[in-house]
Amino acid sequence: MLVAAAVCPCPPLLVPEVAAGAASELDAARAACTDALGVLAAARPDRLVVVGPSQSGGVEVYPEGTAGSFRGFGVDLDVRLGGAGGDSAGARELPYALAVGAWLLGRTGWSDAPIEGLGVAEPLEAERCIEEGRDIAARAERVALLVMGDASACRTLKAPGYLDERAAPFDAEAARALGAADVEALRALDTELARELKVSGRAPWQVLAGAAEHAVLEGALLYEGAPYGVGYIVATWS
């Protein structure tokens, strides 16, 4: 059963080495992520699943020990799911969203429970995401989720997806739902609108909704902002 969840944004810029001179602009988001991971640790889960968007066509599982890298951003920095550095447990490398999750866990020294990663593709239908969440919640008596994903990328003229007037209302509702642990609102997110607004978190958030279906959890919104025109949300469920 799901006992806790942390929702965090997944831009590689969250990693100071990648952000370089702009690192301080995301200090508040990083601090909120650290607080969110503290909620996961306090829940004492038997298993932690890191869920995030991937470029695969469906769902991909990444076992503990799988490696990731930020070399594609010109930074000589490697991470591992379950600890920083080391060799991958498999041939595939973590997608960037899960690599950011691994980095967050590594900087907080996570060692409380076995870890695995789950990459979910942006086009994945809502019901499939919810089914994946149900399956995750049934894997152990006490399951925690670290859910990686961004809101819209269309908040300003300089945003990656340019300005879309629908972006701010979408992000506001997503932040409200995540901050209130509103499972039904997450289930009802508009998949097509999320795609148009370049929302990478829609599928991971709906995995969370499926995992929390039979749990009684309270939500808290720790951070909401749109640096660089992209919506970033940090929330906890416990």
Side-chain angles (χ1 to χ4, degrees):
M1 177 176 286
L2 186 71
V3 295
V7 176
C8 294
C10 64
L13 287 173
L14 206 60
V15 179
E17 292 88 339
V18 176
S24 61
E25 295 177 19
L26 290 179
D27 280 348
R30 288 187 199 97
C33 289
T34 299
D35 291 343
L37 265 62
V39 171
L40 295 186
R44 295 183 172 275
D46 301 321
R47 176 168 292 276
L48 173 66
V49 181
V50 185
V51 183
S54 74
Q55 299 300 314
S56 70
V59 176
E60 289 187 318
V61 176
Y62 297 87
E64 185 165 9
T66 302
S69 170
F70 296 99
R71 296 175 189 271
F73 297 92
V75 176
D76 186 13
L77 177 64
D78 299 317
V79 294
R80 184 178 62 183
L81 199 59
D87 297 325
S88 171
R92 291 174 302 153
E93 192 170 89
L94 293 172
Y96 285 123
L98 296 187
V100 174
W103 175 81
L104 286 172
L105 291 166
R107 76 193 291 261
T108 56
W110 179 274
S111 61
D112 296 67
I115 302 173
E116 68 178 270
L118 187 75
V120 288
E122 184 277 330
L124 208 65
E125 294 180 356
E127 189 52 45
R128 175 72 188 282
C129 295
I130 291 163
E131 288 174 2
E132 290 293 332
R134 291 171 182 150
D135 178 68
I136 289 170
R139 291 182 191 174
E141 186 174 340
R142 298 181 64 80
V143 176
L145 286 181
L146 173 55
V147 184
M148 309 298 297
D150 300 338
S152 72
C154 303
R155 292 280 292 273
T156 66
L157 292 173
K158 294 184 178 181
Y162 197 65
L163 176 64
D164 190 314
E165 299 295 342
R166 301 172 297 174
F170 182 98
D171 289 359
E173 172 57 14
R176 186 207 64 77
L178 291 167
D182 189 335
V183 170
E184 291 306 316
L186 293 178
R187 288 172 63 106
L189 287 175
D190 187 324
T191 302
E192 181 60 24
L193 178 58
R195 184 191 65 78
E196 293 174 3
L197 296 176
K198 303 184 184 302
V199 177
S200 69
R202 190 274 309 170
W205 298 339
Q206 289 184 324
V207 171
L208 169 60
E213 204 169 50
H214 300 297
V216 180
L217 302 173
E218 292 187 1
L221 183 64
L222 305 187
Y223 175 88
E224 179 187 6
Y228 317 114
V230 180
Y232 298 148
I233 299 168
V234 181
T236 58
W237 294 19
S238 62

